Amino acid sequence: MFKRVLHISIISLMVFSCSGEDAVYEPVPLSLDIPAIFSNTIIAPVIPSDNPLTVQGVDLGKRLFFDPILSGDGTQSCASCHAPEKAFADNLSLSIGSDGLSGTRNAMPLFNLAWNYNERFNWDGSALSLERQALEPVENPIELHSNWTEVVQRLQNHPDYPELFRLAFNSDAVTKELTTMAIAQFERTLISANSKFDRFTLGEANLTAQELNGLDIFLREDKGDCFHCHGNPYNPLWTDNEFHNNGLDATITDLGLGAITGDPNDNGKFRTPSLRNLAFTAPYMHDGRFATLDEVIDFYSEGLQNSPTIDPLMKNIDQGGVQLSESDKADLKAFLLTLTDNSFINNFNFQN
């Protein structure tokens, strides 16, 4: 991190020196390196006009993301529940906060967030932007369990952070708004698009017969029928980022989106997670109830539960699921694992 800060300082000095004594400092703009698999198939990412990406902003956000200074007792950071080696998720059914208390949700993985076009984040859609999403965990008593007044004071009194905020936002003040803006900038750079299937789509790799059959099962309505919510090769996000009741429970106790909107028709609806990087992100579902990918496939095959708000896309609810054969299940799993992006979890730019 020291080398990166030094690099920023050198850039900043160059901006000042090349522009004359009366020049106004501006952070260095940063453009996302959008993968061809995205630019060929989907529209541009969402970058707010009031929080454009800059070299200094992303670097500040990265440092804040990994810094336990945001937690009340200085023991946990954002990365404690969103670890790079787990595709920015964790391996717990329910994440544990800085006081050792268990939460109510599984940590969602973090990647390709800039392409969430409806800007609703969290399993229940409670955050309406990445900037707002970063606000709540700091003060949540079962997450980082701090308060923003104390966090801002700690950052303001830190030997490095005031200058890093000035470089990132040209501001002498440290605020919670600028803190979450920096974290959101870093999170928007977390792009995963180099799986085996991506390379296959670009003509750079081949799939096995089993993997190709798994793709066919995934796309067929009379087989896996997965594509309605998770997309197809022309949607490389592998999620619609919408909210569905996918038949987990006959009796709904966690209202999900319904608790946010107040609409009983939304009860039991949760955001569709991406199918990318499933090899790293177990356990699965909003409450981490399924320990393995095999359990997830079994659930959709023969474990669906009917309820008043069941999504109409779950067309096989009366049969309990899509009723896949064991060979179909194995092939579907083989295809899903082609969406694994090892380069993402090993990307130096995303490491602490």
Side-chain angles (χ1 to χ4, degrees):
M1 179 56 70
F2 173 77
K3 292 181 180 178
R4 186 63 167 161
V5 172
L6 178 62
H7 175 64
I8 292 176
S9 300
I10 292 172
I11 292 176
S12 304
L13 290 172
M14 292 173 62
V15 171
F16 278 121
S17 62
C18 294
S19 304
E21 292 183 0
D22 298 327
V24 176
Y25 167 76
E26 294 291 342
V28 179
L30 177 68
S31 297
L32 287 179
D33 185 11
I34 299 176
I37 196 70
F38 286 9
S39 59
N40 291 346
T41 53
I42 55 177
I43 62 176
V46 177
I47 307 295
S49 59
D50 60 351
N51 191 24
L53 299 181
T54 67
V55 172
Q56 294 84 355
V58 170
D59 260 31
L60 172 59
K62 177 181 177 179
R63 178 160 177 173
L64 289 165
F65 187 92
F66 288 99
D67 197 335
I69 197 172
L70 298 182
S71 65
D73 61 4
T75 62
Q76 281 197 327
S77 67
C78 303
S80 298
C81 296
H82 299 283
E85 66 272 17
K86 298 178 178 66
F88 289 87
D90 64 21
N91 59 3
L92 301 175
S93 295
L94 304 175
S95 296
I96 296 176
S98 60
D99 293 340
L101 299 176
S102 178
T104 60
R105 301 277 167 77
N106 179 257
M108 292 197 89
L110 305 179
F111 49 80
N112 302 337
L113 301 174
W115 284 268
N116 182 353
Y117 301 116
N118 64 16
E119 287 270 87
R120 292 199 81 126
F121 295 92
N122 294 332
W123 281 106
D124 58 10
S126 56
L128 299 182
S129 70
L130 273 179
E131 287 78 6
R132 295 180 187 179
Q133 192 285 324
L135 280 172
E136 198 269 342
V138 168
E139 295 191 326
N140 190 309
I142 56 174
E143 293 188 51
L144 297 181
H145 198 187
S146 188
N147 71 73
W148 275 108
T149 300
E150 292 181 2
V151 168
V152 167
Q153 186 176 18
R154 289 197 292 267
L155 293 172
Q156 190 71 65
N157 294 336
H158 192 275
D160 299 331
Y161 275 120
E163 176 65 3
L164 295 178
F165 273 84
R166 189 189 68 77
L167 292 172
F169 296 107
N170 201 13
S171 170
D172 292 328
V174 175
T175 68
K176 67 179 182 180
E177 290 79 14
L178 293 180
T179 301
T180 59
M181 287 170 68
I183 292 172
Q185 284 193 42
F186 169 63
E187 289 178 335
R188 290 188 175 101
T189 69
L190 302 177
I191 299 174
S192 176
N194 188 34
S195 67
K196 180 180 181 180
F197 191 84
D198 295 317
R199 296 190 296 276
F200 166 75
T201 302
L202 295 171
E204 300 170 358
N206 295 316
L207 298 187
T208 67
Q210 183 183 37
E211 291 163 348
L212 286 169
N213 190 53
L215 172 61
D216 182 64
I217 292 166
F218 180 94
L219 295 173
R220 284 175 56 176
E221 289 190 309
D222 64 336
K223 287 283 189 176
D225 197 24
C226 312
F227 69 94
H228 291 292
C229 299
H230 289 288
N232 56 59
Y234 297 101
N235 172 15
L237 302 176
W238 297 101
T239 173
D240 60 4
N241 278 314
E242 297 292 343
F243 297 82
H244 304 277
N245 175 350
N246 62 338
L248 285 170
D249 299 298
T251 302
I252 296 171
T253 55
D254 187 338
L255 300 184
L257 180 65
I260 306 304
T261 65
D263 184 348
N265 293 315
D266 289 333
N267 289 349
K269 293 182 180 179
F270 295 92
R271 183 171 149 229
T272 307
S274 174
L275 297 179
R276 287 182 174 273
N277 298 315
L278 295 174
F280 310 125
T281 59
Y284 307 101
M285 302 296 169
H286 69 277
D287 54 6
R289 68 178 64 188
F290 297 131
T292 67
L293 189 52
D294 296 286
E295 290 180 21
V296 175
I297 294 172
D298 286 343
F299 160 72
Y300 283 112
S301 179
E302 54 262 354
L304 300 185
Q305 301 293 312
N306 206 346
S307 65
T309 60
I310 189 72
D311 199 289
L313 294 172
M314 310 303 291
K315 297 185 295 296
N316 294 285
I317 187 68
D318 291 340
Q319 291 77 44
V322 293
Q323 303 296 320
L324 296 177
S325 68
E326 292 306 309
S327 63
D328 283 346
K329 290 178 182 180
D331 292 355
L332 177 59
K333 180 181 178 180
F335 159 67
L336 292 173
L337 292 176
T338 70
L339 301 175
T340 302
D341 182 356
N342 286 288
S343 65
F344 175 68
I345 67 167
N346 293 302
N347 191 325
F348 173 79
N349 293 319
F350 305 153
Q351 310 294 317
N352 188 12

